[in-house]
Amino acid sequence: MPVEHYVALSAILFTIGGVGFLVRRNVLVTLMSIEIMLNAVNLALVAFNRKGAYMEGGNHTGQVFAFFIIAAEAAEVAVGLAIVLSLFRIRRTVRSDEADLLKN
Amino acid sequence: MSPFGVAYFYFCALIAVLGAVGTVAAKNPIRGAMGLLAMIVAIAGLFLALHAQFLAAIQLIVYAGAIVVLFLFVIMLLGPSASTPSDQRGRIARAIGGGLFGAVGVAAIALLYMAAPKEKAPLLTSVVGDFGSVDAFGRIIFSEALAPFELSSALLMVAIVGAVAVARGRHKSDGPLHESSPAEALAHGKGLKDPVAPPTRGALEGKESGT
């Protein structure tokens, strides 16, 4: 497939994730939407990397970037879910608009 | 490209989009996690088609094996209260917000197609050398990208320690921090809306140490 198809799919997935991030109030779903967006970015990186593989001396830079994004995302999810648990302990809710502990 | 390759791409793309929509639209977070799992597996399939075997394996191991399981674990730990009842904003506000963002996405895709070169792009059929093999990828990781690789291990370590520190909460044995902890004050005061909520951890431990 041409690389444009992969990038279009990546844009569609990123849009879905962005809509979910903005529209949903459940913190867990918000975190999942961030996952969708980062996966879309990974797909675009790997597709562009594949496009460069025709040329002599094509490198793996896009794949290496995707690898580090996966590592960073694992860390982000661990901390994010810990914060969700902490919020649930304090407020007994997972709604993001009730997380106003820093308001006053 | 063979018709099989085209069909493979569209199959994986369809599953990925359906999974993403399911994740965002699901009322029950567990269904959302299942949609996320479908999208992750589909993207791993696309990585395979892009000659990124190592990334496909990592995608399955890290995302499907660890992150989705972590999500499910937290959702089941929270129980029924993990699903928020309903959105308090009006239907119109939600439609405007989602519609605006969707319009921006559609415009971005349209711009992408307009900016694409007019001549037919080469089909992704052949690669040069050992591109995409685990061998070549590992060579890059452990030579050119060695410093970021080691730093990412430090990042994961810090994230684990931070997650434990945040999720553990404060104990009575922690000393002066307890009196000034806003978390405990909220938990004992107005924060607890549920009358049948179990007692907090600090209260339980106080009883145990008293006997």
Side-chain angles (χ1 to χ4, degrees):
Chain A
M1 298 299 293
V3 73
E4 287 86 5
H5 285 54
Y6 284 96
V7 180
L9 173 64
S10 167
I12 292 170
L13 286 178
F14 193 91
T15 304
I16 295 172
V19 169
F21 181 80
L22 290 177
V23 169
R24 293 300 302 268
R25 293 272 112 153
N26 193 327
V27 186
L28 293 161
V29 179
T30 307
L31 277 176
M32 288 187 214
S33 301
I34 296 175
E35 304 265 314
I36 295 174
M37 288 195 276
L38 285 170
N39 264 299
V41 171
N42 273 350
L43 184 64
L45 281 173
V46 175
F48 280 126
N49 193 189
R50 176 76 174 81
K51 188 177 173 63
Y54 301 99
M55 303 163 228
E56 204 60 53
N59 55 27
H60 287 79
T61 310
Q63 292 192 20
V64 172
F65 264 83
F67 176 79
F68 286 124
I69 288 178
I70 289 176
E73 189 172 355
E76 172 246 318
V77 166
V79 176
L81 285 178
I83 292 174
V84 171
L85 272 184
S86 191
L87 172 71
F88 183 75
R89 250 196 213 160
I90 296 169
R91 280 289 162 94
R92 297 273 149 196
T93 182
V94 288
R95 291 172 60 91
S96 56
D97 49 359
E98 287 178 28
D100 52 0
L101 295 173
L102 292 177
K103 201 169 166 187
N104 299 313
Chain B
M1 173 135 260
S2 66
F4 173 74
V6 176
Y8 182 77
F9 172 79
Y10 281 110
F11 179 68
C12 285
L14 183 70
I15 291 183
V17 170
L18 287 182
V21 170
T23 305
V24 168
K27 286 234 166 65
N28 188 344
I30 288 189
R31 296 207 177 141
M34 291 297 116
L36 188 68
L37 186 63
M39 191 206 69
I40 283 163
V41 172
I43 286 187
L46 289 176
F47 280 172
L48 274 184
L50 288 167
H51 275 253
Q53 294 103 331
F54 183 70
L55 276 186
I58 287 290
Q59 177 94 356
L60 286 182
I61 294 169
V62 173
Y63 278 107
I67 291 183
V68 173
V69 170
L70 194 62
F71 265 111
L72 285 178
F73 191 80
V74 169
I75 290 168
M76 293 190 173
L77 192 67
L78 298 188
S81 45
S83 52
T84 50
S86 65
D87 204 328
Q88 291 192 339
R89 279 168 302 179
R91 212 172 266 271
I92 300 169
R94 272 186 288 169
I96 290 175
L100 270 182
F101 205 88
V104 171
V106 170
I109 296 167
L111 281 178
L112 188 80
Y113 271 111
M114 281 199 289
K118 287 289 170 274
E119 71 268 24
K120 196 69 182 166
L123 293 176
L124 299 179
T125 47
S126 64
V127 291
V128 172
D130 60 351
F131 175 84
S133 69
V134 179
D135 186 358
F137 188 80
R139 236 176 264 280
I140 301 286
I141 284 282
F142 286 111
S143 60
E144 288 173 27
L146 183 60
F149 180 73
E150 297 294 341
L151 283 176
S152 73
S153 67
L155 171 75
L156 286 172
M157 193 70 215
V158 170
I160 291 169
V161 173
V164 170
V166 169
R168 178 170 154 267
R170 300 234 186 270
H171 284 245
K172 211 155 204 171
S173 55
D174 283 352
L177 275 176
H178 179 68
E179 277 88 21
S180 60
S181 163
E184 286 289 317
L186 274 167
H188 288 301
K190 58 176 180 175
L192 276 183
K193 283 170 190 159
D194 187 1
V196 293
T200 55
R201 200 170 174 179
L204 275 177
E205 277 170 6
K207 264 181 210 162
E208 277 164 13
S209 61
T211 53

